[in-house]
Amino acid sequence: DNVPLVDHRPVLLGTDVVDYQIRMEGKVAFHDDHDGTPGKYKYAYNFQGFQFWFKNNHNQQLFIADPWKYAPRWGGFCTYGISFELNAQEKEGEHWPWNNNWMGPPASTIDGWSVIDGHLYFNIWNSPYRLSFEAHHQEWINTATARWTKFFGKLEAGPFNTVCVGHGEDRRHCTEEVTRQWTANSTSLGGNAICCDDHVCGDV
């Protein structure tokens, strides 16, 4: 069966999420000084209704074999925001909009990324957010995991970030309730399709 795309725009503006992890294999550090690598449309893959782009077939096949190993935690949204930016229903006096229908905040694919214990994480900027996260990563991960699981039922679930980025020429804030459509379509989504020009995906 065809699997409809929730969003025709690629995850994280088409950045290759596998490439971050390949670069950091065997390294003690959580981050290097390089930006994310742009993927290519010809190596697109639809996972749970979201389009991932990769720089080559090798990276695409690694992702297809084990998507949750390479998919960014919290859908590629900012770890700090998932951890600490609460909405008014979660805590009186808070004002952030983030909930299971409106996800954020932005991520930086340029200098906000980290690879920790084999998983890819993002924050909005390098300083102070990414650096603070790396210094206190277990606390942040535990807090974010609890909140994400409350929103979406489990860690390996939820929407992916397509346009909500905090750095570079394409900087924009999370002004769209982008997850509402995900919530409406989540029961029909699968992960075994290649993306086509009409934004409807056919089987690999």
Side-chain angles (χ1 to χ4, degrees):
D1 295 333
N2 284 341
V3 180
L5 283 173
V6 173
D7 191 334
H8 70 274
R9 298 166 294 194
V11 172
L12 294 166
L13 305 180
T15 302
D16 185 338
V17 296
V18 172
D19 198 61
Y20 290 109
Q21 298 206 39
I22 290 176
R23 282 166 27 194
M24 299 308 293
E25 286 179 355
K27 296 182 180 179
V28 176
F30 300 143
H31 179 93
D32 63 23
D33 292 329
H34 299 287
D35 300 349
T37 302
K40 300 176 181 178
Y41 177 76
K42 68 183 291 187
Y43 300 117
Y45 181 70
N46 172 8
F47 177 60
Q48 296 196 342
F50 288 87
Q51 189 177 168
F52 287 80
W53 289 12
F54 307 95
K55 72 176 186 178
N56 55 36
N57 181 68
H58 175 72
N59 287 10
Q60 182 196 53
Q61 293 305 311
L62 286 174
F63 185 90
I64 291 172
D66 193 355
W68 287 113
K69 171 180 171 59
Y70 297 103
R73 287 295 198 231
W74 343 125
F77 295 97
C78 177
T79 299
Y80 177 86
I82 300 299
S83 299
F84 303 116
E85 293 180 355
L86 305 180
N87 60 54
Q89 287 70 45
E90 293 173 303
K91 184 177 180 180
E92 186 176 354
E94 294 289 344
H95 65 282
W96 298 99
W98 321 134
N99 58 50
N100 65 341
N101 282 327
W102 189 337
M103 189 48 60
S108 173
T109 61
I110 296 174
D111 67 9
W113 61 271
S114 308
V115 175
I116 299 176
D117 295 331
H119 292 290
L120 177 61
Y121 300 89
F122 287 93
N123 281 279
I124 184 172
W125 297 310
N126 173 58
S127 180
Y129 300 101
R130 179 182 67 80
L131 298 178
S132 295
F133 167 59
E134 292 176 357
H136 306 283
H137 59 271
Q138 197 56 62
E139 175 191 350
W140 289 31
I141 289 170
N142 290 344
T143 303
T145 296
R147 191 181 187 203
W148 190 265
T149 302
K150 183 178 179 181
F151 283 159
F152 302 112
K154 59 182 180 178
L155 180 60
E156 295 181 347
F160 289 100
N161 183 358
T162 56
V163 296
C164 189
V165 295
H167 200 148
E169 292 181 357
D170 293 312
R171 176 176 176 175
R172 67 194 72 184
H173 295 289
C174 310
T175 56
E176 303 175 54
E177 295 186 62
V178 294
T179 42
R180 189 174 302 281
Q181 188 178 6
W182 175 86
T183 304
N185 288 282
S186 60
T187 57
S188 65
L189 301 180
N192 61 341
I194 282 288
C195 302
C196 307
D197 287 339
D198 59 2
H199 303 138
V200 174
C201 297
D203 292 339
V204 175

